[in-house]
Amino acid sequence: MKKNVVLATAIGVYVAASSAYAHHSHPYFYDECKSITIEGRVERVEFKDPHTWIVLRLDDGTAYTVDWAPLSRLTNNGVIGPAKEALVFGARVVVTGNRIRSLAQIREHFPDFKMDVNPNTVDPSSIRRVDDSFNWALPPRANPPNC
């Protein structure tokens, strides 16, 4: 029994450490020097931890995945209610943010990274409905990247 507790604790520490490392390595996943603005209609939203996902369909049919803040942060910041009301199927939305890096670029820092990379993934710095009924933006950064 004691052996199982020690093993479970070790696994928990390993998972927590690797998750924290991945979350604190954000610039290795998203190119903070290359911003993109896209406009389309909300196809689907998944409010969850560790990331909220918004699937946006552009007019040309291209789908983008917006890798947004965790549900817990949106809830703590009072954003979740207005976001759920505004980001509904068919809502026209403009997102500005940074594209995900290529698999090769990510593997330069994480050689064992095994997941597929969807090149149409964006880390948002702002999200707004075209009718201006919803606006969300990150605060200005104290130390912006040196591009």
Side-chain angles (χ1 to χ4, degrees), residues 5-33:
V5 171
V6 171
L7 180 61
T9 302
I11 290 171
V13 168
Y14 173 78
V15 168
S18 63
S19 294
Y21 183 69
H23 279 90
H24 291 287
S25 59
H26 197 77
Y28 296 124
F29 284 89
Y30 292 95
D31 190 339
E32 296 179 320
C33 292

Side-chain angles (χ1 to χ4, degrees), residues 79-128:
V79 176
I80 193 65
K84 283 186 172 183
E85 288 178 21
L87 301 175
V88 295
F89 178 81
R92 193 146 187 92
V93 176
V94 176
V95 175
T96 298
N98 305 110
R99 274 191 141 151
I100 197 161
R101 294 183 184 274
S102 70
L103 181 58
Q105 290 171 319
I106 293 170
R107 283 191 177 155
E108 287 175 11
H109 300 280
F110 303 100
D112 296 333
F113 185 77
K114 302 286 186 217
M115 297 174 59
D116 290 330
V117 173
N118 174 358
N120 293 339
T121 303
V122 176
D123 174 41
S125 56
S126 69
I127 301 171
R128 73 172 177 84

Side-chain angles (χ1 to χ4, degrees), residues 24-78:
H24 291 287
S25 59
H26 197 77
Y28 296 124
F29 284 89
Y30 292 95
D31 190 339
E32 296 179 320
C33 292
K34 293 182 183 171
S35 182
I36 182 175
T37 299
I38 55 175
E39 180 177 333
R41 295 199 180 274
V42 173
E43 194 165 277
R44 183 176 78 246
V45 181
E46 296 176 27
F47 291 100
K48 60 183 184 173
D49 288 323
H51 300 268
T52 292
W53 299 99
I54 303 169
V55 177
L56 202 62
R57 181 76 58 180
L58 279 53
D59 293 340
D60 68 3
T62 305
Y64 275 81
T65 300
V66 180
D67 180 3
W68 199 17
L71 172 63
S72 55
R73 185 176 323 142
L74 295 174
T75 301
N76 291 341
N77 292 342

